[in-house]
Amino acid sequence: MSGAARWWESAKEWVGKLPSGLSGEVSVDVSRRRVRLSHARVEALTRRALQNVRALTLGDWVNLPQVYDVRLAVAGWKLRVEVALERVELASGRYHLTLLTPGRVDLEESRAASMLVQGVMRMGGGKAALRSMLDPVMPKGMSWDGQRLRVSGPLPKEGVVPARLFESSSLTINAEHTSEGLWLSAEAWPGLMDLVQAALYLDLPRKPPGT
């Protein structure tokens, strides 16, 4: 058995030893070399990552088979957006999230929207018009090009993923949204599994399985 194969079997064994309350939160696909987090865990992590983004409030969150149906407020605008996480980058003490917006991106009733919705309609409606209206009010660290929503900011000094872990190292994670959860893949697997341990709030040694 190769070193990589042994590592994956060790990772699968580690997941099998998780406490019963966490057994459904994570799984390992050995053959395709990826890790799955439950949608509930993804929501919890996202809320913590975005809680300090100024002018942004995350509201209702619904897990759908291909996307998350999310309500949020941005600088007084209330939006309903269907998003799917595509990529996570952790580097130089910062995080960078890239989310696809393949479906609904709708304005909902709010003071700002009621004043500007007629302008959106005059411009023809749709994502292009909505983007032009949102650009001036997007908070720092957020941008939307009509297809992808990007959010970036500093990692916290303490907590689940402190900045010091990624000051001199980096981790890039690709994500695939499925009905059973969010599948994550990355080249630096030991770093990813270390991050999964932190995400599950387990007091475990900070080292990859099999070492």
Side-chain angles (χ1 to χ4, degrees):
M1 183 180 292
S2 68
R6 285 195 299 271
W7 190 93
W8 276 103
E9 289 298 333
S10 180
K12 186 176 181 179
E13 181 181 357
W14 171 78
V15 169
K17 294 179 180 179
L18 290 173
S20 58
L22 294 172
S23 59
E25 298 288 305
V26 62
S27 63
V28 172
D29 181 347
V30 174
S31 61
R32 296 184 64 182
R33 300 190 178 187
R34 56 184 188 164
V35 175
R36 178 189 59 80
L37 289 180
S38 71
H39 289 310
R41 181 61 60 172
V42 172
E43 177 183 354
L45 291 172
T46 303
R47 288 186 181 278
R48 280 191 288 275
L50 299 181
Q51 65 184 356
N52 294 321
V53 177
R54 297 183 61 184
L56 172 68
T57 302
L58 193 58
D60 294 342
W61 179 299
V62 179
N63 300 321
L64 299 179
Q66 297 181 328
V67 294
Y68 298 121
D69 185 351
V70 179
R71 282 181 164 88
L72 65 154
V74 180
W77 291 54
K78 292 183 179 180
L79 301 172
R80 184 176 179 182
V81 184
E82 291 181 350
V83 298
L85 182 64
E86 180 182 47
R87 190 178 179 89
V88 179
E89 297 176 64
L90 304 172
S92 302
R94 297 179 63 84
Y95 67 85
H96 306 273
L97 308 178
T98 303
L99 303 104
L100 295 172
T101 57
R104 174 197 301 269
V105 181
D106 292 339
L107 278 172
E108 297 196 311
E109 185 179 354
S110 69
R111 183 174 299 177
S114 64
M115 295 173 61
L116 295 171
V117 68
Q118 290 185 356
V120 173
M121 293 177 65
R122 284 197 300 270
M123 295 174 66
K127 290 185 176 181
L130 183 58
R131 176 194 172 192
S132 69
M133 305 301 284
L134 287 176
D135 276 346
V137 299
M138 278 287 190
K140 183 179 180 180
M142 284 190 67
S143 64
W144 182 55
D145 63 7
Q147 295 182 328
R148 287 174 171 82
L149 176 66
R150 292 181 170 86
V151 183
S152 63
L155 289 167
K157 293 182 179 180
E158 303 295 337
V160 179
V161 188
R164 66 178 180 276
L165 295 180
F166 296 98
E167 288 176 348
S168 58
S169 62
S170 62
L171 178 63
T172 299
I173 304 167
N174 295 313
E176 179 185 358
H177 189 116
T178 66
S179 58
E180 67 269 23
L182 195 69
W183 287 99
L184 307 174
S185 59
E187 293 182 5
W189 278 106
L192 178 59
M193 289 303 297
D194 210 29
L195 184 60
V196 169
Q197 288 185 9
L200 292 173
Y201 291 98
L202 295 179
D203 186 16
L204 296 175
R206 298 302 304 275
K207 61 180 182 179
T211 62

